[in-house]
Amino acid sequence: MSIVRFRLSKTLASEQESTQQRERVPQSEGHATWHVRSAEDALRDLGSTRSGLSASAATEKLRTLGPNELEETSGNGLGRIFWEQASSSMILILLVAGVLALIFKGGSGFPVDAVAIFAIVVLFVVLGTLQEYRAQKAIAALKQMSMPSVRVMRDGTPTTVPSRELVPGDVMLLEAGHTVPADGRLLEVQSLRVQESALTGESEPVEKKVEALSDPSLGVGDRINMVFLGSAVTFGRAKVLVVETGQRTELGRIATLIQAVKKSKTPLQKKLDKLGKALGLLALAIAMAVAFIGVFIEGQSWSSVLVLAISIAVAVVPEGLPAVLTFTLALGAQRMLKRKALVRKLPAVETLGSVTTICSDKTGTLTQNHMTVTRVMDASGQVLDASFLAPERTLAPGPSVVLQAFTLCTDVERDSGKLIGDPTEIALVEAAEKAGFLKLNLVGSAPRVAEHPFDSDRKLMTTVHDLDSARSAGTTMPVSQHTAWLETVSDHRHVAITKGAMEQVLSRCRTAFLEGRVVSLDQGMKAAMVRQAELWADGGERVLAVAARGLSQPALEQAGASWEDDLSFIGLCAMIDPPRPEARAAVATCRKAGVRVVMITGDHPATAKAIALDLGVCDRHDEAVTGADLSTLDEGALRGIVESTKVYARVSPEQKLRIVAALQANGHIVAMTGDGVNDAPALRKADIGVAMGTGTDVAKEAADIVLLDDNFATIVAAIEEGRVVYDNLRRFLMFSLSGNVAKVILVVVSPLVGLKAMLTPIQILFSNLLTDGLLGLGMGLEKAEKDTMSRPPFKPDESVFARGVGLHIVLVGPMLGAALMILGFFLWPKDQTPESLTLWGTTLFTALAFTQVARAFSARSFSRSVLSTGVTGNKALLAMVAVAIVLQVVSVTFAPVLPFFETTALSWERLGLCAGMALVLLALMEAVKAVFAPKRTPSKEVFS
């Protein structure tokens, strides 16, 4: 079996199809109706024959219609991306602040704060630009999905041509291992099976046939007389008429869908834009107030007042926010990588924390993407749970015979230790090997001498085995390996083993192999088999039956169809792509966290419902909504349906896109998982696109996050990390803005009450550098609180100041400012000489710095006390605190820098006073937290 591998790509094809392409098929019929035409009609419409086109006709079509490749349109240029990043409100405010801080830098010497602001701006803009530029790569992968060459009929002779030279009317020759290079209508098939999971989401290869279909509205997965660009032939061979190339293929249509999808800003980006504008206006108002007070109340000159006003304006804006944001997102991305989630776009880290709905693919994400035998039943009705299979266990004769019979009737081979073949047959062989029955040994004792291959009409496969080898091997091989039981089924030289759909096998049986003998198969036994098969099928499992009969030499020489009559029933097996063991707990965690899980799959509704029920995604009363159901709904009705539907089956790419859009229109933040090309439009449309690591590169390029282990539980872990990131950003805002409020009070209010401005411009800027820079970065490393995944997600329109943050700023900021004002009154010098005023200002400057350190410890939790969180829980913050204290002490004790900071040397007694003040304020901050912090309650489970 070949596996489709897709290379990197850019995004996307043109929304407009060329006039030349439209002319290929009459517009009244449309390109999606090839499956309802007969093979001969399709050939006639395209001016071709079963012998293919002539070389000259193919050349002319290629000149007229263009090559078989997807059109490429350029995305935003690098300059435009850079401008979009640099023109956000916060960045513009910081640029203005940086310029003003550089011009009016207060004091003398190196403009530390201005340089720090510019460095932050550059870092944020450059990282954002690089991330966005990398996200614009998707059509090259789509273009690389076709084979470099293909076998076609030209002038009646098979020849090899580059796949880009295929034109409508060409007749392709495909066989197992080939990737389909264009959309085609089947002309001839020999047991053809095609893996279309990249386009449809179906986990099983699709059995193909030639006959025309009657329903023109069938989806891609149900057009079984067609093959499509990007799918893979896993079994058999076929002669195929090329009907669509390039942009008009199903793959090209998906590329157009991706092109049409525009990514919106993340919730945090929207909130920060609003915050930046509000803080900008506030900073301007405060700067004007400071200038007015300085000139008209204190009688200072405009030049000196302007420096102070700019400094206060800068103090209002948390210029450390972009750095903390980038730093926190990067650290969150690193933590996610350790948990097997690769973040391609940094803003996605935060958006994950706001996710309200996860639209998850089934195959490989919620399930193991590996067909597995679950149960085996012999003709007597004895059921064996396949999970208990082991070589050391002694099996009853009935189930052991069923396993051996199924294994003999497969085309699975072992290559370099790996089983190669159809996924269903691999599951059968694996189950037998778990019981100790190796196919190599079984075939060695009963070699295959003939076969009647599977086809979709009969739904059967038959292999014929030589019993002479089995009779001789039975005397020399271990009982667990020999096939002597076949002698009971056949007294001839050969035995035919048939497997397939239960109803087809059972209808051809006259006897049953029961307890080592062949007995008559009565209606009661048949009814029991049917009931059991229906029970398993209702549970989403696939049911196969196996039977056998003896063949005489004359019968062996007859046509293969006769080998499948008068069979002896042996048993049944049930199989399924089982749920991942950890997925059930992950779904439960989502419910607890207020995140709704929705399954969207291309699989059969019964299978989807069974898996969803097993995982806890839905209840028994919930019904799966199919793509056919969705096609009848307008947008208004769909918005109503998506609020209650938990399972979607047989959906198309457009319908996945519609589901995501409807959820977003209802106010949900949607994470969408997928691995195929068909998932790419919805991945790009979703707030968070999550691609599987083993999926197509087209899906990965359209996604924000790639799961390296294809595990749904990893999404839940990533959501937790996203919530931690958002919490840390809110902590920083709470910490920074409350401190900024205190600084504004110290500078603006103190002159109004008879004191001088307590802080100089350079002291304000240095304080910002310590708090918004060092301490802020340390807060970005805070770990998750205990209730992180037991509370509801933030709503898209919920402010960053919600859930107590704004209230805390309003209460703590003025409290800190007032307390420091009281200290200022207490220490106000009576003589008011320049030296005494400098000592007074230096003391308050240091008290503010120590208070900010205490504030950082208090802000580590929104609700728990500092005694509960401890002071060593965040070692990075502890290190930043140490650095901040050292720098602050140096600024007020180290003689060479005292003039720069406009400070004087403080005694140890004064430093102790400042530290004591900080501890008193820490106690007050903790009291405010205990009284006013919102009491968090677990979120309601989203599972109506």
Side-chain angles (χ1 to χ4, degrees), residues 172 321 397 431-432 484 513 547 655 665 689 743:
M172 301 184 290
L321 180 58
F513 183 77
Q655 290 165 342
K743 294 171 193 173

Side-chain angles (χ1 to χ4, degrees), residues 736-774:
S736 177
L737 292 180
S738 60
N740 290 354
V741 169
K743 294 171 193 173
V744 170
I745 290 174
L746 293 181
V747 175
V748 176
V749 177
S750 56
L752 300 177
V753 296
L755 305 177
K756 64 169 287 190
M758 294 186 178
L759 301 173
T760 66
I762 190 60
Q763 290 170 359
I764 294 174
L765 298 176
F766 184 70
S767 177
N768 283 359
L769 183 63
L770 292 186
T771 57
D772 290 3
L774 288 175

Side-chain angles (χ1 to χ4, degrees), residues 435-450:
F437 304 120
L438 302 181
K439 182 178 180 182
L440 181 64
N441 293 338
L442 294 174
V443 173
S445 65
R448 181 190 299 189
V449 295

